[in-house]
Amino acid sequence: MMNVQENPLGPVMGIYLCRAADEDIKRMKVASGGAVTALLLYMLEKDLVDGIVTAKRTKGLEGQAVVARTREELLRTAGNKWSIVPFAARIKEKIEEEDLKRVGIVCLPCQAQFFSQMRDFPLLETDFGERIKYIVSLFCMGTFAFEAFLNYLRIRYDVPPSAIEDIRLERDSLTVKHEGGELRLPIKEVYSYLQAGCLVCTDYTGVWSDISAGSLNEERGWTVMITRNPKAENLLRGAKEEGYLEIRDGSHVMGSVMKGAKDKLARAQRNMMTLL
Amino acid sequence: MTPENGNTTPGKLRVLNVNFAGCEGCNVSVLRAYPKISDVVDLDIAYLGERRHESYDVAIITGGVCMNDPKSVEELKEIRKISDIVVAFGSCATFGGILRFCRGGQEPRPDQRNFQPANSVIRVDYSIPGCPPTPQMLVSFFKFLREGNERRLKLFKVVAGVKKLSGFDLIDDVVLTGLCIGCGACELSCPTGAIRLIEKRPDLIQEKCIRCGTCYVRCPRASSIICMKGGD
């Protein structure tokens, strides 16, 4: 297994381009092929997990941890991006309240690291790592200090928080969909509204996850998926065989993902020199 | 025999647990782990009888060392000499833990006033904090040690060189520097409920912090920065 320091992508078993085969998911305007939603649906419907812990946007950029146990509940959370990070403690509450024995978690790289470390190394009797079956991490370039960012959108562009429908962060730009239309901001402009902690984060894909997923500009409509262990590999294969996912080889996008990872690593190293 | 070489290890690892000062929570955790690792580990622990070997592949130190007790200090040095790998297991052995509050003058041993983690006396190879760490933690540790999976064990290797970590360090290094992203891992990791998230940032109830260091190693930001700094 390669060292994280040597390889910013972490351990990689396979890299694929995936999209949902499910008509319901296709009809929803999910970001990039809906493959994550389709994969989660496969886990739920084939009884590989009792529930999926994911996030649902509540208001503005704020999210809330929710548990989806059925197809309907899951589809209601689809397409929502984790713009901020819900509290880990709330996720624990959710898992215990609903007494889930096997969960799939969709999260950001930092959370994937925490959950994976908890699963591998339970330091506390109260840990619930053994309940976490699959960790799916989304590619991440950083999260926003959202109060400050919302205030900026209101003052500079006259877009009130209540009008924001969706925010998507890509490598070099940010798209804000709102009631009055769409706002495309270069990342440089909003850079200072990323949380400082994200500026020193070295992990783009979520190296601690079982599966990492994200989208690339050059493969619109498809989700890049990186499998990190045999368990993840089997999961993808199963989802394909059962007709949930369309999968094709993604070796040709490895370079682009690597570039994203290296960019984030370089940014972190640069910022560590000044911030630490 | 070098366990780092992983799968080629013939037979079982000879493992010694020695408990120094503490509540016995950690060595009980080691004992509880034993049935799950007995196929790969041959454990000598006081609960099961006398030591059977002259030297060991792995020594697991539990509890803090009383610096006013020369016998303990010498015993720890001796363990270093006869062991290939020394693991500090539990917060007292790794970071001092609650024993850091000892100030002596109490019966029955008023002379015992100062307790330190194992790495204040000897070189430690891996430090695993927790109050106490779970038996499953030790099972995982031996799994990754035998596989030679340094990536997974790196954090524990890096903190083996750190003598003190606590909620105070978490606040200083992550929150006051503005690096906290509000994920809540610390709140969830605190065994005494000393950390509460207020306005999406952790706040430390100082009187409750037992200096176990669990929050620090569990913080995604703190742990990755400490690994980068201590990294090779």
Side-chain angles (χ1 to χ4, degrees), chain A residues 88 120 122 127 195 197 208, chain B residues 134 140 152 179 183 201 218 221:
Chain A
D120 285 350
D127 280 349
Q195 298 209 72
W208 294 86
Chain B
T134 62
S140 292
R152 278 292 203 254
L179 299 182
C183 73
R201 295 291 179 263
R218 274 291 172 78
R221 202 53 72 233

Side-chain angles (χ1 to χ4, degrees), chain A residues 221-232:
Chain A
W222 292 82
T223 306
V224 184
M225 287 201 161
I226 298 173
T227 55
R228 304 194 177 277
N229 49 42
K231 185 174 74 175

Side-chain angles (χ1 to χ4, degrees), chain B residues 79-91:
Chain B
I79 293 168
R80 178 70 266 185
K81 278 187 207 150
I82 62 166
S83 314
D84 287 346
I85 294 174
V86 172
V87 181
F89 190 72
S91 291

Side-chain angles (χ1 to χ4, degrees), chain A residues 32-65:
Chain A
S32 51
V36 172
T37 309
L39 188 66
L40 299 174
L41 194 60
Y42 164 65
M43 292 183 206
L44 264 186
E45 293 194 334
K46 296 297 165 189
D47 197 32
L48 302 175
V49 295
D50 301 325
I52 301 285
V53 176
T54 181
K56 198 169 154 178
R57 183 164 304 152
T58 48
K59 63 176 164 66
L61 284 176
E62 249 178 297
Q64 191 193 353

Side-chain angles (χ1 to χ4, degrees), chain A residues 118-151:
Chain A
M118 183 200 283
R119 184 170 63 177
D120 285 350
F121 302 116
L123 294 174
L124 298 159
E125 294 281 352
T126 52
D127 280 349
F128 53 96
E130 77 287 351
R131 295 182 184 220
I132 301 172
K133 193 142 181 227
Y134 296 104
I135 300 172
V136 180
S137 170
L138 306 173
F139 293 2
C140 177
M141 266 312 211
T143 60
F144 283 100
F146 67 95
E147 304 93 332
F149 178 63
L150 290 179
N151 201 33

